[in-house]
Structures are given as structure tokens and as C-alpha cells.
């Protein structure tokens, strides 16, 4: 549980209230978590725009996932960081329970992939990415909608909907 600035009470996804002291550490964690969610939303929007405007470049980018051990671990690190950012920010997001579940899903699947040799992940990417890029406009639309929804859920005050 992370408290807001000034020790505000936050209603958690579970419906319980929590009150923690506002410390520089909790403020930093809130800032970092929020920044990760904003970056993830911007990344999804950017990926969607790029997929629409430069489809061949986007295909090459997506095909580079899990191409090496470094790419594999970088991807998993980013997924875990974004998942943690979503979990830690969920208390102030619209649809908090759904975002808690999604954040933990990102973290959990990433931890499982950490136990899998990167070459297995690479083989899966070689098999799955061509299927996704065959429908690149649909992938672009999903990416755009996902990014906008993530930012909307974070930036619109909780309870405003």
C-alpha cells in the first residue's frame, strides 16, 4: 500500500482504507510508479502510431524481441517494472481491481519467462510475431486504445466515472 502526498488516506482496490506516513521514500515510489505507467501508455500510443505510419519498420522492431539474451532480459525487466508501476498506482486509477490483476499478470508471466531459456522465448516470438504483424492495423488500433485507456485510467481522478 502506498499513501499519497501528505499522508492522505487512499481507498484500496480491496475497498479498505490505508493511512501511511508520507515520507520522501513513499513520495519517490509514487512518482516512479506513476512515471512508469505514463511511459507505458506513451509507448503503446507511440507503437500504434508507428505501426500505422511505418509498418515495415514496426515489423522489424517487433521481430527483434527476444532475439538475444540481452533483449530477452531487457523485455522482462521492462514488463516487471511496468507491472509493478501499475500495481503501485492502481489505488488512484479508475478500474483499480482490474489494473491490480493486470499488473500482477504482467509480473507473474515475466517471472515465469525468467525461468525459461531465452532461446525458447525467441522461438515463440519467431512463431507468433508474424501472425501479429499480418494484422498490423488491428495491432496498431489495439495499441492505441490500450495506451489511451491506461493514461485515462491513471489521469482521471478515481471515482469521476
Amino acid at each position: 500500500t502506498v499513501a499519497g502526498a501528505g499522508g492522505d488516506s487512499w481507498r484500496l482496490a480491496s475497498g479498505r482504507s490505508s493511512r501511511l506516513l508520507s515520507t520522501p521514500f513513499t513520495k519517490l515510489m509514487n512518482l516512479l510508479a506513476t512515471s512508469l505507467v505514463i511511459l507505458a501508455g506513451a509507448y503503446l500510443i507511440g507503437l500504434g502510431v508507428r505501426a500505422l505510419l511505418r509498418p515495415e519498420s514496426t515489423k522489424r522492431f517487433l521481430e527483434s524481441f527476444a532475439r538475444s539474451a540481452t533483449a530477452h532480459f531487457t523485455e522482462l525487466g521492462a514488463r516487471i517494472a511496468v507491472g509493478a508501476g501499475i500495481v503501485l498506482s492502481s489505488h488512484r486509477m479508475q478500474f483499480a481491481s482490474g489494473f491490480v490483476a493486470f499488473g500482477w499478470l504482467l509480473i507473474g508471466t515475466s517471472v515465469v519467462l525468467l525461468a525459461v531459456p531465452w532461446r525458447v522465448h525467441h522461438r515463440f516470438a519467431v512463431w507468433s510475431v508474424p501472425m501479429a504483424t499480418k494484422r498490423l492495423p488491428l495491432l496498431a488500433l489495439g495499441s492505441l486504445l490500450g495506451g489511451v485507456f491506461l493514461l485515462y485510467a491513471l489521469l482521471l481522478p478515481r471515482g469521476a466515472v
Side-chain angles (χ1 to χ4, degrees), residues 11 41 48 65 70 82 85 100-101 103 131 140-141 157:
R11 177 127 343 250
F65 280 45
T70 301
V82 169
V100 167
M131 288 190 291
L141 179 62

Side-chain angles (χ1 to χ4, degrees), residues 1-12 16-20 91:
T1 307
V2 180
D8 297 334
S9 282
W10 293 98
R11 177 127 343 250
L12 303 177
R16 294 179 290 133
S17 292
S18 178
R19 188 171 187 90
L20 294 177
H91 67 278

Side-chain angles (χ1 to χ4, degrees), residues 73-156:
F73 290 112
T74 301
E75 177 187 348
L76 296 182
R79 286 171 46 117
I80 290 169
V82 169
I86 290 171
V87 169
L88 292 173
S89 297
S90 65
H91 67 278
R92 65 176 160 268
M93 294 175 76
Q94 298 292 327
F95 319 107
S97 297
F99 279 108
V100 167
F102 180 69
W104 280 114
L105 179 69
L106 271 178
I107 294 167
T109 55
S110 300
V111 168
V112 168
L113 282 172
L114 280 172
V116 173
W118 75 268
R119 291 184 193 279
V120 173
H121 186 196
H122 173 68
R123 282 195 299 268
F124 177 74
V126 166
W127 172 77
S128 62
V129 169
M131 288 190 291
T133 56
K134 281 182 187 175
R135 295 169 184 83
L136 203 55
L138 188 58
L139 184 134
L141 179 62
S143 184
L144 285 167
L145 291 175
V148 167
F149 181 67
L150 190 60
L151 294 177
Y152 161 82
L154 177 69
L155 300 176
L156 191 68

